[in-house]
Amino acid sequence: MRKLWTSLLSRDIDRAAAFYRLLGGFIELGRTDTYVLLGDDETARSGLTIIDWVSELVPKGARGVPEGSYLTLVVDDIEAALEIVRDFEVEIMESPVETGPSGRAVVRDIDGRIVEIVTPDTHLVVPPRETVA
């Protein structure tokens, strides 16, 4: 495998790209009218493609139906990440139990997708407190 990209369908690619750029510390690697490429550096082996949900570039079976997955972002400071989320006025589905830099939270992005935000010490260790329907 040379690279791993996750493509997220969005109704507002500019706003969604801003959300993930700020929350995940991504940099913008490229842009067209229908998508924005985000990576962790210029030689990113992995990253996000924020793509217009009805773009002809989206496989027909996936066009307009962003469902069945969630994104996990591992951050250094959960409270700082939640401050960014609050600025976008999206739903915080699960706040961390303890305050401070460590923890786990679950939010919805601007298109309603579930995003798990965790710190390295809680990634794949701390289970959710609630069932998300």
Side-chain angles (χ1 to χ4, degrees):
M1 180 178 75
R2 297 187 78 184
K3 293 186 178 199
L4 175 64
W5 288 89
T6 299
S7 297
L8 300 177
L9 304 178
S10 179
R11 291 178 177 92
D12 185 339
I13 63 171
D14 292 325
R15 192 161 181 250
F19 179 87
Y20 285 105
R21 231 183 6 255
L22 292 170
L23 183 58
F26 293 106
I27 61 171
E28 188 172 308
L29 301 175
R31 165 184 291 271
T32 70
D33 290 342
T34 59
Y35 67 83
V36 178
L37 296 175
L38 302 174
D40 54 352
D41 62 29
E42 274 81 19
T43 62
R45 289 184 40 96
S46 63
L48 297 175
T49 302
I50 310 297
I51 189 165
D52 188 289
W53 72 315
V54 293
S55 168
E56 63 184 21
L57 299 174
V58 175
K60 287 183 182 178
R63 205 172 293 164
V65 285
E67 58 188 37
S69 63
Y70 70 95
L71 185 65
T72 300
L73 295 178
V74 181
V75 301
D76 291 325
D77 187 330
I78 196 77
E79 288 299 323
L82 286 175
E83 283 305 311
I84 291 167
V85 167
R86 286 183 187 99
D87 289 343
F88 281 88
E89 298 177 357
V90 295
E91 179 185 1
I92 298 174
M93 300 175 69
E94 184 179 324
S95 296
V97 176
E98 298 175 19
T99 59
S102 185
R104 177 187 181 283
V106 178
V107 303
R108 289 198 183 270
D109 75 2
I110 66 160
D111 290 297
R113 269 183 297 274
I114 294 172
V115 179
E116 176 187 49
I117 305 168
V118 297
T119 52
D121 59 326
T122 60
H123 186 218
L124 298 174
V125 176
V126 177
R129 289 192 332 267
E130 304 172 12
T131 300
V132 179

